[in-house]
Amino acid sequence: MRGVIFDGERPRFVDDLEVRDPGPGEVLVAVSAAGLCHSDLAVVDGTIPHPVPVVLGHEGAGVVEAVGPGVVHVSPGDHVALSTLASCGACADCDRGRPAMCRAAFGRPGRPFRRNEEKLFHFAATSVFAERTVVKAVQAVRIPADVPPAPAALLGCGVLTGVGAVLNRARVGQGESVIVIGAGGVGLNVLQGARIAGAAPIVAVDANPAKEKAARLLGATHFVDASAGRDVLAVVREVLPAGADHAFECVGDVRLVRQAVNLLGRHGQAVLLGVPPIGAEASFPVSSLYLDKSILGCRYGSSRPQHDIALYARLYREGRLMLDELVSRIYPVEEFAQAMDDMNNRTVARGVLSFDR
């Protein structure tokens, strides 16, 4: 079968992958579409350390092909979006409704794939850059069959992270002000999460002025061009003289963490979504926090995937959540190299790989 692997030197398309049958509590999914996310590229450039060889991809949707013993919530033929959280469902964090904090969901990649008798690792417990993948049953979330594969694929990562950060972690209220630093795949979903929450104003900040159109479409009421030489703080203060209630850093640049704190008003909170290199440290004036400011980390939108993915699919069908608008281009999986180049060159908001023949 077709797929994209990374062997430690370069990612490449192959057509001779094999995947094992599902075991107890597992699901075999025929992947229809898979979003290309910066986290996949972070494995390639070493920002995210991972054992190799590995089948890439972690943002996908497809159709259940087979289920292992004990799986009852999905059946062959069901359409599903996949979560990367292989949570155990039994630990203290899962019991408290915090599956994103489940320790079983971190690391420990399995090796369900083979190629020329060599075992290949899972990435993010999903590996959706393959025609078929095996996941834990808890990762497969049933969605309506009329949700098209390309937008459905985005539900499991970018949408879950961005919208979830607003609704679950920050708990943005109606009329509260929001600043989003970085209008990429996650940032655009933070913008529409803020719109769904009823925030106002919603300010998008990005160094690429070409992103203004998409940012406004998804929910931004204002756009600040942060290209070289511009005083972002001064421009934002024109819109929000007292600072923002919420600032979301979606780039992963430690300098922008400080900027997010500086843009807050009293009792404001900065939510960190971008992923900087391991070991990176941020600095900010500690005295500023005594104005009741907060800095919040956020993993995977603080989500409960079985609940949230189903909710976001419903919001999409109701026209309240924009997914089609996030898909810049759909590539046959054989054109992965072009899709990766386009993402590196920032010519697409979100590219999606298709496994349809």
Side-chain angles (χ1 to χ4, degrees), residues 86-95 99 102 104 138:
S87 50
C88 71
C91 68
D93 285 303
C94 286
D95 187 55
C102 174
V138 71

Side-chain angles (χ1 to χ4, degrees), residues 281-296:
E281 298 183 358
S283 64
F284 50 85
V286 175
S287 59
S288 69
L289 298 186
Y290 297 137
L291 296 176
D292 272 7
K293 295 182 181 181
S294 304
I295 299 175
L296 306 178

Side-chain angles (χ1 to χ4, degrees), residues 20-245:
R20 63 169 173 78
D21 293 332
E26 294 182 332
V27 176
L28 176 67
V29 177
V31 179
S32 301
L36 184 61
C37 175
H38 281 287
S39 295
D40 300 301
L41 303 186
V43 174
V44 176
D45 67 21
T47 302
I48 298 178
H50 197 282
V52 294
V54 57
V55 179
L56 295 173
H58 66 285
E59 185 180 72
V63 177
V64 174
E65 197 163 274
V67 300
V71 177
V72 296
H73 77 288
V74 293
S75 303
D78 284 344
H79 289 238
V80 293
L82 298 181
S83 155
T84 67
L85 285 183
S87 50
C88 71
C91 68
D93 285 303
C94 286
D95 187 55
R96 292 168 182 161
R98 302 192 302 235
M101 293 296 105
C102 174
R103 295 183 186 276
F106 291 82
R108 305 172 193 167
R111 301 174 76 177
F113 298 96
R114 281 184 175 273
R115 181 171 183 260
N116 298 328
E117 300 306 316
E118 180 181 26
K119 290 185 176 181
L120 286 78
F121 287 97
H122 247 158
F123 173 56
T126 43
S127 292
V128 290
F129 289 176
E131 283 190 88
R132 291 175 183 80
T133 190
V134 170
V135 299
K136 286 191 175 181
V138 71
Q139 297 175 251
V141 183
R142 188 168 53 199
I143 60 173
D146 60 0
V147 179
L154 307 186
L155 288 170
C157 181
V159 174
L160 205 62
T161 299
V163 178
V166 174
L167 302 183
N168 300 329
R169 186 63 168 134
R171 299 185 181 274
V172 173
Q174 288 192 355
E176 295 181 341
S177 57
V178 167
I179 293 174
V180 180
I181 302 173
V186 170
L188 289 175
N189 282 295
V190 174
L191 288 170
Q192 67 172 333
R195 171 179 52 78
I196 291 168
I202 303 171
V203 182
V205 180
D206 201 283
N208 182 356
K211 292 185 178 180
E212 179 174 1
K213 181 178 179 180
R216 289 187 179 273
L217 176 66
L218 271 293
T221 59
H222 299 75
F223 184 87
V224 176
D225 179 0
S227 53
R230 294 181 180 266
D231 187 341
V232 171
L233 181 60
V235 176
V236 171
R237 289 299 191 198
E238 293 178 6
V239 181
L240 296 170
D245 295 313

